[in-house]
Amino acid sequence: DNLRFKLAGDFYNDVVSITSRYDIPKMETELVKLMAGKVSNPSYTNMIMDHLNGTNHSLDKICDQIGVIQRLTKVVSQNGTAKARSEKEVQLASAEEGGMFEGVCGNCNKKCGYK
């Protein structure tokens, strides 16, 4: 019950670790249902429900599928930690033509271009 779903790979590793450490016999269907109860993202919930409607239930497969989406949508940063939602994107406030580019950061107004 203390498991939390943040990253699919971490959740899978935690479940496998707990079930093997305490020798808890659980079927794959029960583990996938456990994950369904922990997920708060509606897209992931739909994926899990579609997986449960199929014939073969595998926690490993559904965690891999969700993990791929998390990496593609950059929910997970390069070092494997969850990204903060408060990260800001940098945009250019101006650009010059003629092959010369002198960009100005739209956030801090610092010149960051090249010539």
Side-chain angles (χ1 to χ4, degrees):
D1 285 336
N2 291 335
L3 286 174
R4 294 178 189 245
F5 183 88
K6 193 169 192 177
L7 302 175
D10 292 345
F11 183 82
Y12 175 78
N13 291 335
D14 292 343
V15 167
V16 169
S17 171
I18 290 170
T19 54
S20 64
R21 182 182 305 145
Y22 297 108
D23 197 28
I24 302 171
K26 291 277 187 180
M27 297 190 61
E28 289 289 319
T29 304
E30 293 172 343
L31 297 176
V32 174
K33 287 179 181 179
L34 171 71
M35 185 171 78
K38 301 290 182 178
V39 171
S40 59
N41 185 318
S43 298
Y44 301 156
T45 304
N46 287 338
M47 288 178 65
I48 294 169
M49 294 310 295
D50 289 342
H51 184 77
L52 285 172
N53 288 334
T55 55
N56 296 332
H57 304 148
S58 169
L59 182 66
D60 185 30
K61 286 182 183 178
I62 191 66
C63 283
D64 284 345
Q65 291 174 355
I66 292 174
V68 167
I69 291 175
Q70 287 178 330
R71 284 189 298 279
L72 289 174
T73 57
K74 298 185 181 181
V75 170
V76 181
S77 65
Q78 295 291 342
N79 61 5
T81 59
K83 278 190 168 183
R85 294 193 184 272
S86 62
E87 291 180 8
K88 294 184 178 179
E89 292 184 16
V90 177
Q91 63 183 7
L92 297 176
S94 66
E96 297 175 356
E97 293 183 22
M100 306 296 270
F101 172 76
E102 197 170 304
V104 177
C105 174
N107 188 27
C108 64
N109 293 326
K110 180 179 176 183
K111 288 188 178 184
C112 56
Y114 60 88
K115 291 185 180 185

